[in-house]
Amino acid sequence: MVAMDKIMASGHVRLKGGELQKRLVNNMHQAALRGEVSYPTLHRYLNSPDEVNSISTKTLYAILVHGMGLTEDEVANMRFGDVFDVVAEVSE
């Protein structure tokens, strides 16, 4: 039998903030207004993704649709890795 602590993954996902920001077709202020989300939140998601502990789906939608100009079909067909980095936490 395998011990539970041997099979549990440890880590988190992080937005690819800088990469997403490079793909913006509208500036962050416009994306925040159109998506009806807070500019400081949008700014933090794109410029300080390590500080984001939980992700608002409304803010993510604002980045992808209102910021990057993607259609809903394009968003639906994105891969997880297009938006997020997977960060493994190594225990010593």
Side-chain angles (χ1 to χ4, degrees):
M1 184 186 289
V2 178
M4 286 299 288
D5 64 345
K6 299 292 183 192
I7 60 172
M8 293 181 68
S10 181
H12 64 279
V13 295
R14 174 183 54 220
L15 276 172
K16 291 185 172 184
E19 290 180 38
L20 297 176
Q21 188 172 12
K22 290 177 190 172
R23 296 175 55 193
L24 293 179
V25 295
N26 294 306
N27 67 43
M28 283 190 283
H29 179 71
Q30 291 170 333
L33 286 175
R34 290 179 183 160
E36 300 178 352
V37 296
S38 154
Y39 173 82
T41 299
L42 191 71
H43 187 273
R44 186 176 65 251
Y45 274 43
L46 295 174
N47 291 302
S48 305
D50 287 328
E51 296 176 13
V52 177
N53 293 317
S54 62
I55 296 170
S56 159
T57 55
K58 186 173 184 175
T59 303
L60 184 57
Y61 185 93
I63 292 169
L64 300 175
V65 175
H66 300 295
M68 294 171 55
L70 299 175
T71 66
E72 290 181 352
D73 285 339
E74 289 171 323
V75 172
N77 290 311
M78 290 181 85
R79 294 176 347 158
F80 190 80
D82 293 339
V83 179
F84 297 100
D85 285 320
V86 177
V87 181
E89 294 177 3
V90 180
S91 58
E92 296 178 25

